[in-house]
Amino acid sequence: MGADFVQFSLTPILIGSLAAIACALPGNFLLLRRQALIGDAISHVVLPGIVVAFLVTGTLAAVPMLLGAAAAAIVAVVLIEAIKRLGRIEPGAAMGVSFTFLFALGVLILEQTDTSSVHIDVEHALMGNLESLIWFRAEGWGSLFDPAALAALPEELIRLAVVALILSLLTWLFWRPLKISTFDEGFARGLGLPVGLIGFGLVVTAAVAAVAAFDAVGSIIVIAMFICPPAAARLMTNDLATQVGWSIVFAVLSAVLGYVLAGYGPLWLGASNAVSAAGMIAAVSGVILALACLFGPCRARVGVGAG
Amino acid sequence: MTSLFDALLLQSGYNAALVAIGAALLGFAGGAAGTFLFLRKRALVSDAMAHATLPGVGLAFILMVALGGDGRSLPILLAGSAVTAILGLLAVDWIVRHTRLPEDAAIGAVLSVFFGIGVVLLTVVQTMSAGRQAGLEDFLLGATAGMLFADAMTIATGGGLAVLAVWLLRRPMTLVAFDAEYAASLGLDTRRIDLAIMALVMAVTVVGLKIVGLVMIVALLIIPPVIARFWTDRSGRMIWGAGLAGGLSGYLGAAISASAQDLPTGPIIVLVASALFFLSLLLAPVRGVLAALIRHLRFQARVHRRQGLLAIARGEPIHDPLTLRVLRREGLIRPDGVATDAGRGVAAKIARDERRWDIAREVHQDAGLTGRYDGLTPIEEVFTSDEIALFDRHLGAPRPVRG
């Protein structure tokens, strides 16, 4: 736990955890609203978003990438809604049509343009590059108090910290309307709450979280964190606040354990190379969900005996 | 252009032709099998299965290398992917049956976790002493460039077998997809047929991995049935329509991709299917957007025509420009807005029908008939001429409309 750890592992673990929290928070509400797969769809359409943003601006700077990805996410949500309404197609199929179409478009544009000189490719988009987000200037735990070293923190860390903070604030501010409209839409409408707006706001917030996290950790973690920690938390409790709490615990646990297992696990087993941290974080979240499915105190449906 | 025609006519090389035929068969099987999934409202289960193939590919490779092979045998890689795809499907079913999590959450969880494990295995493969790039990344997005003859043959054969299976199982699968309880009451084992549907979906997914890739293979299972749904309400036609749409997408996509550089097969196939989808969304005869628009405009015109004629009958002025346009087009009013003889005649008839309806509601006890009053259905379509004559006796003689 010395200088090496601070330099090479601290920031990826923090980034992974923040990304996990940012995705798990809206994930709780999406899960309860039966919209869990929105996260899946959004993380697929981020690819065309960043490719088009790159073509338009010619840079790989963070802001245009994020704007492009966010725009693509909104296009996807609107497209899904349009197909559902215009064609009277069931939501799952509408989602499948939209995200495969946009993803294929992204891959085609990527292949058509000369992006080989720059670092965007599909595998990077899927898997992220968590391992490379090291804190180059750090020389030990003391660097945490060194302004010069702190200024050289990976920008993804700052960005995700801000996004996670904003999402926590939003969740806290809109807690009551979110809760009411999630559990009883009719009642929420009766109270005069803008139910449609709340739903759309939730999806947009989720898209922001997905886009911010995606850049650093890849779409696998994004999808896994949208769904697995909230799903596991759902099996632990019947209270929404407790569920959100559990989901954050599970998200951070997956990120930390996953990163450590990916980085150090193979060494313990005698292999010489680390494996994909993003993949391992998703795998650990899956193990947590599996344990919750087997032993969670509230795992069974109401009216069905546990077992 | 000539290279495209060459490719379309299967003239651009033996492998390209084989890939095009394979993609067409695969698209056909995918569309037909996807129809059963679509009707069962489980379209996205296939996405979980597709992503769950990745760890199987990695494991099969590692196993082959461990046993001393070079790890490149396509049939074995595909067999490995099939095993984990089934595990993924079983995991989704188990979660839905044994916990209170909804199906979409189960799908998302299985999809991301299996895919994550697959990525971990891929990084293991990359660092293995076998050392070489195994080309397993091709399974993510599909790659037909440089495909071996044996691989193309495997895909074409697999596609053909899947089509055959769809044809053999079409009747029981339609029954179950449509009305599982009725099928059960006929003595069919619905659980087994459900499994057969899933096996078929798995076969299409696995065979398609090399061409379309696991991220986009679901397009071949989801988009064609959606296309077919626009054109027909009959399940039989939908199966073959979806097969046709899928086959066309596969064939056209593979041919277009073979005709030029930098046109990856998987995305092109998906984009061709998407194009067919958007065309259907726009142009389909009953469910399409254009048809709905025309229907709406016609309805609007009928309402305006009637309101205008009632106004004429009551001697009220008409101000609405659309109403004026509709009446003018039929020659019911003159350009200056005054009713023509024909217009006054039709107006008198409409006004009289309106009074007949009033009488009908008084003398006729059958609410099922009088309830059909919507202001647009001609009274002759609801009541017999005898009944209308009865109403007329209450009404007295027709009254003319003054111009």
Side-chain angles (χ1 to χ4, degrees), chain B residues 209-241:
Chain B
L209 281 186
K210 189 81 184 170
I211 297 187
V212 188
L214 63 86
V215 185
M216 282 174 289
I217 183 70
V218 287
L220 279 187
L221 290 157
I222 295 178
I223 300 179
V226 173
I227 294 174
R229 186 68 190 85
F230 275 105
W231 295 92
T232 177
D233 286 332
R234 302 178 56 117
S235 63
R237 287 187 196 152
M238 191 175 154
I239 296 169
W240 304 125

Side-chain angles (χ1 to χ4, degrees), chain B residues 297-319:
Chain B
L297 289 178
R298 278 202 185 137
F299 181 73
Q300 201 179 27
R302 279 177 70 196
V303 172
H304 277 267
R305 175 179 187 272
R306 190 186 128 79
Q307 292 306 86
L309 288 170
L310 281 177
I312 292 175
R314 295 195 200 102
E316 293 162 0
I318 303 169
H319 299 294

Side-chain angles (χ1 to χ4, degrees), chain A residues 34 112 234 237-238 299 301, chain B residues 96 99-100 104 123 262:
Chain A
R34 305 271 156 110
Q112 282 284 302
R234 173 96 178 97
T237 172
N238 281 322
R299 62 184 180 278
R301 251 177 220 109
Chain B
V96 172
T99 76
R100 65 181 184 183
D104 62 336
T123 49
D262 291 333

